[in-house]
């Protein structure tokens, strides 16, 4: 029998534990997105998330709070061994407390120059099966970028629906949250915080339960806070474009530091004779 009705007696009377968020708003067993234009730092932030969850430390200096260390699997479709090694060293101090937890909890899969197709002709591939086995018991599985993970047309709604279903099945089978890294469309600059900033069919963002957007600081915001063009390039806005399981969240600002590592940032005070517009926030589960 394929259809299994919900046990209403259980649903209405059984004690339910609190929701267990992997990241604020992102539940185990669900599929979410991190969306941004190219060269914005989405892969860097994703690797910071992976490393921080594996270590049980806060992400990006307090963007997301610390949690118990857990297993993270990162399928890096555009990264080589050498570049991943460089990136991860920038995120860590080799004498950092609990550093050894990475060996048990972090699985990095550099796939530059290789096929990393997880879904072809609307069907999971052998690589998908391998990822599912590796991801068993993980807290988070990251696939980066989505365009390399399927053989379909990202503007085709039925093909993107099939891909979403495959990612949901991966999440359900492993117990992990699955986060896909995806590019923004060309029109996203006009509405960077919208879920429809993602490239391709709306079936992708409609199917995801959670979506973060990254975008660059525009000239108007920089002028408002007296930030030079040189400094402006270091600031990145983070918006919760979609949070099905949490109330709306305010925009946060991240700033690139040494090695490209992001830190939660407080914008400089606005110029005198202008009113305050936004700032940074500390997100908690």
């Amino acid at each position: 029998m394929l259809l299994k009705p919900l046990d209403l007696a259980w649903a209405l009377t059984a004690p339910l534990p609190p929701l267990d968020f992997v990241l604020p708003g992102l539940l185990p067993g669900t599929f979410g997105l991190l969306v941004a234009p190219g060269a914005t730092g989405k892969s860097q932030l994703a690797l910071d998330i992976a490393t921080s969850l594996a270590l049980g430390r806060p992400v990006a200096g307090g963007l997301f709070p610390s949690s118990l260390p857990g297993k993270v699997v990162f399928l890096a479709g555009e990264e080589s061994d050498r570049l991943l090694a460089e990136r991860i060293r920038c995120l860590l101090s080799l004498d950092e407390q609990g550093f050894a937890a990475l060996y048990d909890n972090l699985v990095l899969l550099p796939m530059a120059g290789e096929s990393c197709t997880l879904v072809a002709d609307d069907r999971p591939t052998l690589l998908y099966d391998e990822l599912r086995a590796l991801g068993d018991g993980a807290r988070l599985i990251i696939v980066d970028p989505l365009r390399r993970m399927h053989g379909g047309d990202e503007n085709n709604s039925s093909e993107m629906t099939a891909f979403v279903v495959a990612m949901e099945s991966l999440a359900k089978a492993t117990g992990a949250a699955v986060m896909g890294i995806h590019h923004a469309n060309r029109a996203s600059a006009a509405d960077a915080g919208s879920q429809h900033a993602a490239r391709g069919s709306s079936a992708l963002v409609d199917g995801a339960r959670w979506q973060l957007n990254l975008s660059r600081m525009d000239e108007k915001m920089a002028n408002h806070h007296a930030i030079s063009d040189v400094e402006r390039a270091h600031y990145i806005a983070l918006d919760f474009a979609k949070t099905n399981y949490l109330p709306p969240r305010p925009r946060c600002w991240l700033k690139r530091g040494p090695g490209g590592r992001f830190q939660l940032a407080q914008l400089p005070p606005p110029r005198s004779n202008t009113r305050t517009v936004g700032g940074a926030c500390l997100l908690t589960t």
Side-chain angles (χ1 to χ4, degrees):
M1 183 175 179
L2 297 177
L3 298 176
K4 184 180 179 182
L6 177 68
D7 182 344
L8 291 178
W10 170 85
L12 295 174
T13 63
L16 299 177
L19 293 176
D20 173 31
F21 291 112
V22 177
L23 297 171
L26 181 63
L27 289 169
T30 63
F31 172 56
L33 294 169
L34 173 58
V35 175
T40 309
K42 54 188 179 296
S43 294
Q44 183 76 2
L45 180 59
L47 187 58
D48 194 344
I49 290 171
T51 303
S52 298
L53 288 185
L55 288 173
R57 71 179 186 188
V59 176
L63 172 65
F64 303 138
S66 60
S67 60
L68 291 175
K71 180 180 176 181
V72 182
V73 179
F74 194 134
L75 182 60
E78 297 178 331
E79 302 290 353
S80 65
D81 297 46
R82 174 66 179 82
L83 290 177
L84 266 183
E86 187 78 24
R87 283 179 179 265
I88 198 168
R89 290 187 189 194
C90 291
L91 292 170
L92 295 168
S93 167
L94 294 184
D95 59 357
E96 185 169 350
Q97 186 176 4
F99 177 81
L102 283 185
Y103 297 111
D104 296 324
N105 293 334
L106 185 60
V107 180
L108 298 177
L109 303 168
M111 295 289 290
E114 301 180 48
S115 172
C116 46
T117 302
L118 299 175
V119 180
D121 298 323
D122 295 346
R123 294 178 180 273
T125 63
L126 291 176
L127 185 65
Y128 174 96
D129 293 337
E130 287 189 36
L131 183 62
R132 182 178 59 189
L134 276 173
D136 186 43
R139 287 286 284 167
L140 180 66
I141 298 172
I142 300 173
V143 290
D144 178 25
L146 284 193
R147 189 62 193 95
R148 292 197 178 210
M149 304 297 157
H150 62 85
D153 178 358
E154 64 182 15
N155 293 304
N156 184 298
S157 62
S158 63
E159 292 180 3
M160 288 302 94
T161 297
F163 180 74
V164 169
V165 170
M167 294 300 98
E168 291 173 341
S169 297
L170 177 63
K172 184 177 181 179
T174 59
V178 175
M179 182 170 71
I181 313 303
H182 190 47
H183 285 87
N185 57 43
R186 293 181 180 179
S188 63
D191 192 7
S194 167
Q195 71 182 74
H196 297 295
R199 195 173 68 187
S201 169
S202 61
L204 184 61
V205 297
D206 290 344
R209 301 293 86 195
W210 179 91
Q211 183 178 326
L212 289 185
N213 290 3
L214 301 181
S215 58
R216 301 179 183 91
M217 178 181 283
D218 61 27
E219 187 175 354
K220 181 179 179 180
M221 179 63 75
N223 288 338
H224 182 75
H225 289 274
I227 296 172
S228 70
D229 285 343
V230 172
E231 278 293 294
R232 175 162 69 101
H234 297 293
Y235 284 96
I236 298 293
L238 182 146
D239 291 288
F240 277 79
K242 186 175 184 179
T243 53
N244 282 27
Y245 308 113
L246 282 182
R249 293 289 179 112
R251 167 173 282 189
C252 295
W253 288 96
L254 303 174
K255 189 176 183 182
R256 295 178 191 269
R261 184 176 182 181
F262 285 120
Q263 293 289 317
L264 188 65
Q266 181 72 44
L267 296 184
R271 294 178 186 272
S272 57
N273 78 350
T274 59
R275 59 188 179 87
T276 301
V277 178
C281 59
L282 177 63
L283 299 178
T284 58
T285 54

